[in-house]
Amino acid sequence: MSFDQDICFLCKEDLRDPVSIPCGHIFCSICLRTYWDHADHTGQYLCPQCRVSYNKRPAPRRLQTSRSLSAVKLSEAAPPAPPSPDYNYAGARDVACDICIGKKLKAVKSCLMCLASYCEKHLKPHYESATFKRHKLVDEIGHLDRQICPQHQKGLELYCRTDQMCICVLCTVKEHKGHDMVSAEQERNEMQQRLGATQAEIQEKIHDRVKQMDELKQAVEALKNSATRALQESEKLFGDMLHSIERMQQEMAKLISSNKKSALNTAESHMDRLSQEITDLKRRDNELTQLSRTEDHIHFIQSYHMIDAQTDAEELPTVSVNPYFSFGSVTKAVSELKQHLNEYGNEELVKVATTVNKMPFCQLDDRKGRKSIKADEVDVSKVQRTLSSAPRSQAPRTRDEFLKYACQLTLDPNTAYKQLYLSRSNRKAALKRDPQSYLESPNRFDCLPQVLCKEALSSGAYYWEVDWSGEGVSLGITYKGIKRTGYGDSARIGYNRKSWSLFCSDSSYSARHSKDQVEINAPYSSRIGVFLDYDSGTLSFYSVAETMSLIHQFKASFAEPVYPGFWVWYESAICICQL
């Protein structure tokens, strides 16, 4: 265990009969039971340390695998239940009464003559007996042995300015003979004066810092208002531009429709005329056919001259079609307009980013040089790279869009805690009471019920779904270098800088990274979707449905490949879904 795990958060003493709850924190059994007994009337139970809430009272689990509990584990008879904690007794960080026998009470005063500390009960003789009237009482202080000269075992009464240390009377005879020495009281008075000057200087600095803080707060408020106005005005201006583009689109559509209608009307008129002329020509063709079959020579000659003269008198219209006519020029013009708008917009955005970067919001002056903190510092080169590249048009919204980034994951048995049982082709993990027959591996978590996946994820977007059940689980990602031994935060997924996690219970969620923890109120979901956009530096958790509901999103700059990982509580399980 780490140092933090050796001390109970409630009683501040060494852990006695330690138990763990679903969020992973450890307390004395009696302390946790007493704490939750007081919460029975509310029906809501909170972790005393991280404040995660549970709708029903979880069953704490005793830790029998800790090295600090090995003696208890080997003992045949169970130890007697510890007494209820009494917070009047001195803890590990309190000054204890030197007179109390057995379990010591907290000291309230220390005597500089007796060189001892006393609780209220044992302090009474100093107030009631004349013998102790000359004794000097001060607020309780520890390490009273420092009031004794380690060489002569006498009280320290003098101060050697030469060696800058407190000494006793016997020290003046030999060790500090001829040195510049004064009484401790005199040195205290002079130091007190210097302390007063130092304190006045500090108070003046506090006044200056408070003034700077007020100015900074006002500037921050003005900054927020300015940013809000800029956002609103930008949205309005972009909205107007969108309306202008929509109007241009409508005008273009009207132009195309008008030209199309005009061309179609002309073509239909020509087709009607041509159709009529074709009908007339077919009628004359039939007349000529019938005339050719007549046996009356006179009738043939007279009719032929009449038909021939009628044919020569009429001129048939000629319709020519432009084979190159199309609306391709319109498409080309719109495409060029789009390109010009993109180029102009990108140039202007880079100009804006450059201008904003040149405007310092506040400055910090120190001995190492001046540092500027800018209101909204934008990496211009990054903006240029982003604009010149072809990113995803938008983040996925529906489950079908997320499934385009689906990846297949498998749990790594070489990392699994020995009581984690893996099944379904190493896609499911459940915490059992009996250890599994795993081979020895330096990558295995030896104290925490955790397991990592085999697959390393980097450079791209990935999506996977996890079904979970039970009292509590955590799912997230971690760098390969996370610690594998002990109960400390450096080995817990989500409790350090190397990992990010979402803790799921029956009533709430909790997002964790390093020292940061965010409590989340969201509807219960037994299936969680995880979307990792490595390049954009986002890790998102969703409640899975046709329309995905975001639970929490981390933003980070990933420095190396990450591995999906899980923490599983008793009577709980996780299963990676096949997509």
Side-chain angles (χ1 to χ4, degrees), residues 516-566:
D516 300 327
Q517 178 173 317
V518 179
E519 299 301 324
I520 304 165
N521 291 323
Y524 170 83
S525 176
S526 61
R527 176 171 288 197
I528 305 296
V530 186
F531 181 66
L532 170 64
D533 191 337
Y534 189 95
D535 298 329
S536 298
T538 59
L539 174 66
S540 309
F541 298 88
Y542 292 86
S543 175
V544 177
E546 287 303 320
T547 301
M548 308 288 280
S549 178
L550 179 64
I551 298 174
H552 185 74
Q553 183 181 79
F554 289 104
K555 292 186 178 181
S557 297
F558 301 116
E560 58 183 272
V562 296
Y563 294 79
F566 305 92

Side-chain angles (χ1 to χ4, degrees), residues 412-548:
D412 186 358
N414 291 327
T415 65
Y417 178 60
K418 285 193 174 182
Q419 289 178 235
L420 279 178
Y421 174 69
L422 304 187
S423 59
R424 295 189 184 179
S425 302
N426 289 340
R427 288 186 297 105
K428 182 177 181 181
L431 187 61
K432 302 294 184 180
R433 297 190 178 278
D434 298 326
Q436 307 301 308
S437 56
Y438 293 129
L439 299 176
E440 293 297 327
S441 171
N443 297 324
R444 189 177 313 285
F445 292 99
D446 66 348
C447 293
L448 295 173
Q450 298 181 153
V451 60
L452 303 184
C453 290
K454 292 181 178 179
E455 294 76 13
L457 308 181
S458 64
S459 182
Y462 307 88
Y463 176 74
W464 63 95
E465 293 179 357
V466 179
D467 283 329
W468 74 276
S469 60
E471 293 187 8
V473 301
S474 287
L475 48 153
I477 59 173
T478 178
Y479 294 144
K480 187 176 182 180
I482 190 172
K483 190 177 179 181
R484 309 302 174 96
T485 58
Y487 291 96
D489 289 350
S490 58
R492 294 176 183 269
I493 298 176
Y495 284 75
N496 47 69
R497 295 182 179 274
K498 296 182 179 181
S499 58
W500 299 257
S501 73
L502 178 73
F503 173 73
C504 308
S505 72
D506 59 352
S507 61
S508 65
Y509 301 94
S510 175
R512 296 168 175 173
H513 172 62
S514 188
K515 301 298 182 182
D516 300 327
Q517 178 173 317
V518 179
E519 299 301 324
I520 304 165
N521 291 323
Y524 170 83
S525 176
S526 61
R527 176 171 288 197
I528 305 296
V530 186
F531 181 66
L532 170 64
D533 191 337
Y534 189 95
D535 298 329
S536 298
T538 59
L539 174 66
S540 309
F541 298 88
Y542 292 86
S543 175
V544 177
E546 287 303 320
T547 301
M548 308 288 280

Side-chain angles (χ1 to χ4, degrees), residues 360-413:
F361 174 62
C362 60
Q363 293 179 332
L364 177 65
D365 293 326
D366 58 14
R367 296 178 181 177
K368 296 181 180 178
R370 172 169 291 183
K371 300 178 181 179
S372 297
I373 303 174
K374 299 179 182 177
D376 252 329
E377 190 164 350
V378 181
D379 187 343
V380 177
S381 62
K382 185 176 181 180
V383 171
Q384 293 172 332
R385 290 196 303 270
T386 303
L387 294 174
S388 61
S389 62
R392 286 181 290 279
S393 58
Q394 60 181 6
R397 294 184 180 179
T398 65
R399 185 166 182 264
D400 289 339
E401 293 176 351
F402 278 102
L403 290 176
K404 295 178 183 178
Y405 304 97
C407 63
Q408 302 301 325
L409 302 176
T410 53
L411 302 174
D412 186 358

Side-chain angles (χ1 to χ4, degrees), residues 172-370:
T172 63
V173 177
K174 185 177 180 181
E175 291 84 356
H176 298 270
K177 185 178 180 180
H179 289 187
D180 182 10
M181 293 174 288
V182 294
S183 67
E185 183 178 1
Q186 180 181 350
E187 183 66 19
R188 159 67 186 272
N189 292 335
E190 294 184 9
M191 286 186 175
Q192 188 81 34
Q193 293 177 358
R194 294 197 297 272
L195 184 145
T198 303
Q199 189 173 11
E201 183 180 350
I202 291 175
Q203 290 175 352
E204 184 179 356
K205 289 182 178 179
I206 292 174
H207 176 74
D208 293 340
R209 296 300 186 270
V210 170
K211 183 179 178 181
Q212 294 174 14
M213 177 69 77
D214 293 338
E215 293 175 353
L216 186 57
K217 286 181 179 178
Q218 294 176 2
V220 167
E221 193 63 29
L223 171 68
K224 290 180 180 178
N225 295 334
S226 175
T228 301
R229 288 194 302 270
L231 284 174
Q232 293 173 348
E233 293 173 2
S234 296
E235 289 176 359
K236 182 179 181 302
L237 292 173
F238 276 109
D240 293 341
M241 285 191 284
L242 290 175
H243 290 317
S244 298
I245 292 175
E246 290 175 355
R247 182 181 57 78
M248 293 172 60
Q249 181 186 14
Q250 293 171 358
E251 293 295 331
M252 189 65 71
K254 288 180 181 179
L255 176 64
I256 294 173
S257 298
S258 175
N259 280 271
K260 173 185 173 185
K261 184 177 181 180
S262 176
L264 290 178
N265 289 338
T266 302
E268 288 175 356
S269 175
H270 289 329
M271 285 190 290
D272 289 343
R273 184 175 179 182
L274 289 172
S275 178
Q276 182 63 41
E277 291 177 351
I278 290 171
T279 301
D280 292 342
L281 289 173
K282 286 183 178 180
R283 177 177 55 77
R284 290 172 188 165
D285 183 58
N286 289 333
E287 291 176 355
L288 291 174
T289 300
Q290 292 178 2
L291 181 62
S292 67
R293 294 175 182 173
T294 185
E295 296 179 356
D296 186 345
H297 301 301
I298 299 301
H299 174 70
F300 179 88
I301 293 171
Q302 293 175 346
S303 298
Y304 175 78
H305 284 297
M306 183 179 63
I307 294 174
D308 186 49
Q310 190 177 26
T311 302
D312 292 338
E314 296 182 359
E315 293 183 1
L316 297 177
T318 300
V319 178
S320 60
V321 179
N322 181 8
Y324 302 106
F325 178 83
S326 72
F327 289 99
S329 58
V330 176
T331 304
K332 181 180 178 181
V334 175
S335 177
E336 291 177 352
L337 176 61
K338 174 189 174 184
Q339 183 176 358
H340 291 326
L341 285 175
N342 285 339
E343 291 175 355
Y344 179 76
N346 293 347
E347 291 175 359
E348 291 302 311
L349 185 57
V350 171
K351 289 180 182 178
V352 171
T354 304
T355 303
V356 171
N357 276 352
K358 292 180 180 179
M359 297 180 355
F361 174 62
C362 60
Q363 293 179 332
L364 177 65
D365 293 326
D366 58 14
R367 296 178 181 177
K368 296 181 180 178
R370 172 169 291 183

Side-chain angles (χ1 to χ4, degrees), residues 35-158:
Y35 181 83
W36 274 349
D37 284 345
H38 290 294
D40 280 338
H41 68 283
T42 65
Q44 187 177 24
Y45 301 92
L46 302 176
C47 170
Q49 189 165 349
C50 68
R51 312 303 291 174
V52 166
S53 64
Y54 305 95
N55 285 338
K56 61 179 182 179
R57 183 168 177 167
R61 306 290 176 172
R62 281 186 167 80
L63 298 178
Q64 297 185 352
T65 58
S66 172
R67 292 185 295 274
S68 63
L69 301 177
S70 58
V72 176
K73 181 178 178 181
L74 295 174
S75 62
E76 297 180 358
S84 298
D86 186 341
Y87 299 106
N88 289 322
Y89 285 109
R93 301 176 185 179
D94 298 319
V95 178
C97 176
D98 292 317
I99 309 302
C100 289
I101 299 175
K103 191 169 182 61
K104 296 180 178 292
L105 295 174
K106 293 180 180 178
V108 295
K109 292 288 183 179
S110 296
C111 178
L112 298 182
M113 296 290 290
C114 301
L115 296 179
S117 299
Y118 303 96
C119 63
E120 290 184 356
K121 175 183 176 182
H122 294 110
L123 184 63
K124 289 182 179 180
H126 276 74
Y127 293 127
E128 298 173 353
S129 175
T131 306
F132 301 102
K133 283 185 176 181
R134 295 184 179 180
H135 287 207
K136 187 174 182 180
L137 295 175
V138 296
D139 291 337
E140 74 281 2
I141 56 175
H143 305 290
L144 286 172
D145 54 332
R146 296 178 183 174
Q147 304 285 332
I148 300 295
C149 175
Q151 184 173 359
H152 303 107
Q153 301 303 311
K154 295 289 185 180
L156 299 175
E157 302 175 2
L158 304 174

